[in-house]
Amino acid sequence: MLIQKIVQELQDIPEDKLAELYDLIHYFRLGLSQERTQPRTPGLLKGQLGDAFFEPLPEEELQQWE
């Protein structure tokens, strides 16, 4: 069983590194539960974009990007 293989690997880890490994496992597990409870929201910003967002930039601003 996979859990037994994991436990065998853990036995070979130095004692002074176990706290770091525990933190990694603990926060990974917490992240798994958050993935299930929070549906994905598209986009980076909340709210809506106005029509001005889709208008072409003025030539002066385009020049600054080049």
Side-chain angles (χ1 to χ4, degrees):
M1 194 172 190
L2 188 55
I3 195 124
Q4 291 170 338
K5 288 183 178 183
I6 293 170
V7 170
Q8 285 175 337
E9 291 293 332
L10 290 174
Q11 290 173 346
D12 292 332
I13 294 176
E15 185 96 18
D16 62 326
K17 297 293 182 181
L18 289 178
E20 293 176 51
L21 183 59
Y22 172 81
D23 287 343
L24 175 73
I25 294 169
H26 177 72
Y27 290 111
F28 178 81
R29 183 184 57 79
L30 290 178
L32 291 176
S33 65
Q34 285 182 350
E35 287 178 9
R36 291 186 206 128
T37 59
Q38 295 176 348
R40 180 178 164 358
T41 304
L44 298 175
L45 302 174
K46 293 184 179 191
Q48 295 187 3
L49 299 173
D51 290 336
F53 178 82
F54 297 101
E55 293 176 3
L57 291 174
E59 187 62 35
E60 185 177 289
E61 285 186 52
L62 287 173
Q63 294 294 328
Q64 292 176 0
W65 283 100
E66 293 180 9

